[in-house]
Amino acid sequence: MSHWYRQDRDGAFCLSLHIQPGARKSGVAGLHGDALKIRLHAPPVDGKANAALLAYVAELLDLPKAAVSLKSGQTSRQKVVRVEGVNETRLASLPAASE
């Protein structure tokens, strides 16, 4: 298993993410230490980047927005996002996640 995600006892996954808000375009940028780096177009103002992150992760994993929640890192670039309804194979197949 990769270091950037782990599975909880209830089957949900917690993703360790490093966020770069205010990027030219949103996308997965590879690994940043033990976290998956995600660039977000949204600015880090009034929670816009957090909302954009949750929507982006839901879209990336083809999940409803309700299946993705911010577990920690509300004001930090280092965030932990909880994802329900996804399997490890899908997480490992994310673009640039295997770098």
Side-chain angles (χ1 to χ4, degrees), residues 9-40:
R9 291 181 184 166
D10 65 359
F13 282 89
C14 289
L15 315 180
S16 295
L17 304 176
H18 177 84
I19 308 306
Q20 179 187 344
R24 187 168 293 224
K25 66 178 187 173
S26 296
V28 177
L31 294 176
H32 184 85
D34 285 341
L36 185 66
K37 183 175 182 178
I38 296 182
R39 293 186 176 118
L40 291 175

Short mmCIF file of all heavy atoms in Angstrom, two decimals, residues 9-40:
data_model
loop_
_atom_site.label_atom_id
_atom_site.label_comp_id
_atom_site.label_asym_id
_atom_site.label_seq_id
_atom_site.Cartn_x
_atom_site.Cartn_y
_atom_site.Cartn_z
N ARG A 9 -10.93 1.20 9.51
CA ARG A 9 -11.61 -0.06 9.84
C ARG A 9 -12.98 -0.18 9.18
O ARG A 9 -13.44 -1.27 8.89
CB ARG A 9 -11.77 -0.18 11.35
CG ARG A 9 -10.47 -0.38 12.04
CD ARG A 9 -10.65 -0.53 13.52
NE ARG A 9 -9.34 -0.63 14.15
CZ ARG A 9 -9.13 -0.50 15.42
NH1 ARG A 9 -10.13 -0.25 16.23
NH2 ARG A 9 -7.91 -0.61 15.90
N ASP A 10 -13.63 0.96 8.94
CA ASP A 10 -14.97 0.93 8.33
C ASP A 10 -14.92 0.83 6.80
O ASP A 10 -15.95 0.85 6.14
CB ASP A 10 -15.78 2.14 8.76
CG ASP A 10 -15.20 3.46 8.26
OD1 ASP A 10 -14.16 3.44 7.59
OD2 ASP A 10 -15.80 4.50 8.56
N GLY A 11 -13.73 0.75 6.22
CA GLY A 11 -13.59 0.59 4.77
C GLY A 11 -13.34 1.88 4.02
O GLY A 11 -12.98 1.85 2.84
N ALA A 12 -13.54 3.02 4.65
CA ALA A 12 -13.26 4.30 3.99
C ALA A 12 -11.74 4.52 3.94
O ALA A 12 -10.99 3.91 4.71
CB ALA A 12 -13.92 5.44 4.76
N PHE A 13 -11.32 5.37 3.04
CA PHE A 13 -9.89 5.68 2.91
C PHE A 13 -9.63 7.12 3.36
O PHE A 13 -10.45 8.01 3.13
CB PHE A 13 -9.43 5.53 1.46
CG PHE A 13 -9.21 4.10 1.05
CD1 PHE A 13 -10.24 3.35 0.53
CD2 PHE A 13 -7.96 3.51 1.20
CE1 PHE A 13 -10.04 2.04 0.17
CE2 PHE A 13 -7.76 2.19 0.84
CZ PHE A 13 -8.80 1.45 0.32
N CYS A 14 -8.48 7.32 3.98
CA CYS A 14 -8.01 8.65 4.34
C CYS A 14 -6.82 8.96 3.43
O CYS A 14 -5.86 8.18 3.38
CB CYS A 14 -7.60 8.72 5.81
SG CYS A 14 -9.00 8.65 6.92
N LEU A 15 -6.92 10.07 2.71
CA LEU A 15 -5.89 10.47 1.76
C LEU A 15 -5.07 11.60 2.35
O LEU A 15 -5.63 12.61 2.79
CB LEU A 15 -6.53 10.94 0.46
CG LEU A 15 -7.67 10.13 -0.13
CD1 LEU A 15 -8.15 10.77 -1.42
CD2 LEU A 15 -7.25 8.70 -0.35
N SER A 16 -3.75 11.46 2.34
CA SER A 16 -2.85 12.54 2.76
C SER A 16 -2.53 13.35 1.51
O SER A 16 -1.96 12.82 0.55
CB SER A 16 -1.57 11.98 3.35
OG SER A 16 -1.85 11.28 4.53
N LEU A 17 -2.90 14.63 1.54
CA LEU A 17 -2.75 15.47 0.36
C LEU A 17 -1.96 16.73 0.68
O LEU A 17 -2.07 17.28 1.78
CB LEU A 17 -4.13 15.88 -0.16
CG LEU A 17 -5.10 14.74 -0.49
CD1 LEU A 17 -6.45 15.30 -0.89
CD2 LEU A 17 -4.53 13.85 -1.57
N HIS A 18 -1.16 17.16 -0.27
CA HIS A 18 -0.46 18.44 -0.21
C HIS A 18 -1.11 19.31 -1.28
O HIS A 18 -1.09 18.95 -2.46
CB HIS A 18 1.03 18.28 -0.47
CG HIS A 18 1.77 19.58 -0.48
ND1 HIS A 18 2.20 20.17 0.67
CD2 HIS A 18 2.10 20.42 -1.49
CE1 HIS A 18 2.80 21.32 0.37
NE2 HIS A 18 2.76 21.48 -0.93
N ILE A 19 -1.69 20.43 -0.87
CA ILE A 19 -2.48 21.25 -1.78
C ILE A 19 -1.72 22.51 -2.18
O ILE A 19 -1.12 23.17 -1.35
CB ILE A 19 -3.82 21.65 -1.11
CG1 ILE A 19 -4.54 20.40 -0.58
CG2 ILE A 19 -4.69 22.43 -2.08
CD1 ILE A 19 -4.76 19.31 -1.60
N GLN A 20 -1.77 22.82 -3.47
CA GLN A 20 -1.21 24.06 -3.99
C GLN A 20 -2.37 24.87 -4.58
O GLN A 20 -2.75 24.69 -5.73
CB GLN A 20 -0.17 23.78 -5.07
CG GLN A 20 0.42 25.04 -5.66
CD GLN A 20 1.32 24.75 -6.83
OE1 GLN A 20 1.76 23.63 -7.06
NE2 GLN A 20 1.58 25.78 -7.62
N PRO A 21 -2.95 25.78 -3.77
CA PRO A 21 -4.06 26.59 -4.29
C PRO A 21 -3.55 27.70 -5.20
O PRO A 21 -2.38 28.06 -5.19
CB PRO A 21 -4.68 27.17 -3.01
CG PRO A 21 -3.56 27.21 -2.04
CD PRO A 21 -2.66 26.05 -2.38
N GLY A 22 -4.46 28.24 -6.00
CA GLY A 22 -4.10 29.35 -6.87
C GLY A 22 -3.28 28.94 -8.09
O GLY A 22 -2.63 29.77 -8.70
N ALA A 23 -3.31 27.66 -8.44
CA ALA A 23 -2.54 27.18 -9.60
C ALA A 23 -3.24 27.58 -10.90
O ALA A 23 -4.42 27.94 -10.91
CB ALA A 23 -2.41 25.66 -9.53
N ARG A 24 -2.51 27.51 -11.97
CA ARG A 24 -3.07 27.85 -13.28
C ARG A 24 -4.24 26.95 -13.64
O ARG A 24 -5.24 27.40 -14.20
CB ARG A 24 -1.98 27.72 -14.35
CG ARG A 24 -2.42 28.21 -15.71
CD ARG A 24 -1.24 28.31 -16.60
NE ARG A 24 -0.38 29.39 -16.10
CZ ARG A 24 0.19 30.30 -16.85
NH1 ARG A 24 0.03 30.25 -18.15
NH2 ARG A 24 0.95 31.24 -16.33
N LYS A 25 -4.12 25.65 -13.32
CA LYS A 25 -5.23 24.72 -13.54
C LYS A 25 -5.17 23.61 -12.48
O LYS A 25 -4.11 23.35 -11.91
CB LYS A 25 -5.21 24.12 -14.94
CG LYS A 25 -4.03 23.23 -15.24
CD LYS A 25 -4.14 22.66 -16.64
CE LYS A 25 -3.04 21.63 -16.87
NZ LYS A 25 -3.19 20.94 -18.13
N SER A 26 -6.29 22.99 -12.23
CA SER A 26 -6.37 21.92 -11.23
C SER A 26 -5.86 20.61 -11.82
O SER A 26 -6.07 20.33 -13.00
CB SER A 26 -7.81 21.74 -10.76
OG SER A 26 -8.26 22.90 -10.10
N GLY A 27 -5.18 19.82 -10.98
CA GLY A 27 -4.70 18.53 -11.43
C GLY A 27 -3.83 17.85 -10.39
O GLY A 27 -3.39 18.47 -9.42
N VAL A 28 -3.62 16.56 -10.58
CA VAL A 28 -2.74 15.79 -9.71
C VAL A 28 -1.31 16.01 -10.19
O VAL A 28 -1.02 15.90 -11.38
CB VAL A 28 -3.09 14.28 -9.75
CG1 VAL A 28 -2.14 13.46 -8.91
CG2 VAL A 28 -4.53 14.06 -9.30
N ALA A 29 -0.41 16.34 -9.25
CA ALA A 29 0.95 16.71 -9.63
C ALA A 29 1.99 15.70 -9.15
O ALA A 29 3.18 16.00 -9.18
CB ALA A 29 1.27 18.09 -9.08
N GLY A 30 1.58 14.52 -8.70
CA GLY A 30 2.54 13.52 -8.25
C GLY A 30 2.66 13.49 -6.75
O GLY A 30 1.83 14.04 -6.03
N LEU A 31 3.71 12.87 -6.28
CA LEU A 31 3.91 12.73 -4.85
C LEU A 31 4.75 13.88 -4.31
O LEU A 31 5.64 14.39 -4.98
CB LEU A 31 4.58 11.40 -4.53
CG LEU A 31 3.74 10.15 -4.84
CD1 LEU A 31 4.55 8.89 -4.56
CD2 LEU A 31 2.46 10.15 -4.03
N HIS A 32 4.43 14.26 -3.08
CA HIS A 32 5.16 15.30 -2.35
C HIS A 32 5.44 14.71 -0.97
O HIS A 32 4.60 14.80 -0.08
CB HIS A 32 4.31 16.57 -2.26
CG HIS A 32 5.01 17.71 -1.61
ND1 HIS A 32 5.83 18.56 -2.32
CD2 HIS A 32 5.02 18.15 -0.34
CE1 HIS A 32 6.30 19.47 -1.49
NE2 HIS A 32 5.83 19.24 -0.28
N GLY A 33 6.58 14.04 -0.83
CA GLY A 33 6.85 13.30 0.41
C GLY A 33 5.89 12.12 0.51
O GLY A 33 5.77 11.34 -0.42
N ASP A 34 5.19 12.03 1.64
CA ASP A 34 4.20 10.97 1.83
C ASP A 34 2.79 11.44 1.54
O ASP A 34 1.82 10.92 2.10
CB ASP A 34 4.27 10.44 3.28
CG ASP A 34 5.49 9.56 3.49
OD1 ASP A 34 6.05 9.06 2.49
OD2 ASP A 34 5.87 9.35 4.66
N ALA A 35 2.65 12.43 0.67
CA ALA A 35 1.34 12.97 0.32
C ALA A 35 1.22 13.07 -1.19
O ALA A 35 2.22 13.20 -1.90
CB ALA A 35 1.14 14.34 0.95
N LEU A 36 0.00 13.01 -1.67
CA LEU A 36 -0.26 13.22 -3.09
C LEU A 36 -0.46 14.72 -3.28
O LEU A 36 -1.26 15.34 -2.59
CB LEU A 36 -1.52 12.46 -3.52
CG LEU A 36 -1.84 12.50 -5.01
CD1 LEU A 36 -0.76 11.76 -5.81
CD2 LEU A 36 -3.20 11.88 -5.27
N LYS A 37 0.28 15.32 -4.20
CA LYS A 37 0.18 16.76 -4.43
C LYS A 37 -0.91 17.04 -5.44
O LYS A 37 -0.95 16.44 -6.52
CB LYS A 37 1.51 17.32 -4.94
CG LYS A 37 1.48 18.83 -5.13
CD LYS A 37 2.84 19.37 -5.52
CE LYS A 37 2.82 20.87 -5.66
NZ LYS A 37 4.15 21.40 -5.99
N ILE A 38 -1.80 17.95 -5.06
CA ILE A 38 -2.88 18.37 -5.94
C ILE A 38 -2.81 19.88 -6.11
O ILE A 38 -2.75 20.62 -5.14
CB ILE A 38 -4.26 17.95 -5.39
CG1 ILE A 38 -4.35 16.42 -5.33
CG2 ILE A 38 -5.39 18.54 -6.24
CD1 ILE A 38 -5.66 15.89 -4.85
N ARG A 39 -2.80 20.30 -7.37
CA ARG A 39 -2.85 21.73 -7.68
C ARG A 39 -4.31 22.11 -7.89
O ARG A 39 -5.05 21.40 -8.58
CB ARG A 39 -2.06 22.02 -8.95
CG ARG A 39 -0.58 21.81 -8.78
CD ARG A 39 0.19 22.24 -10.02
NE ARG A 39 1.61 22.11 -9.78
CZ ARG A 39 2.41 21.32 -10.47
NH1 ARG A 39 1.94 20.61 -11.47
NH2 ARG A 39 3.69 21.25 -10.18
N LEU A 40 -4.71 23.22 -7.27
CA LEU A 40 -6.09 23.70 -7.40
C LEU A 40 -6.10 25.09 -8.01
O LEU A 40 -5.33 25.96 -7.60
CB LEU A 40 -6.78 23.76 -6.04
CG LEU A 40 -7.07 22.44 -5.36
CD1 LEU A 40 -7.65 22.68 -3.98
CD2 LEU A 40 -8.03 21.61 -6.19
#
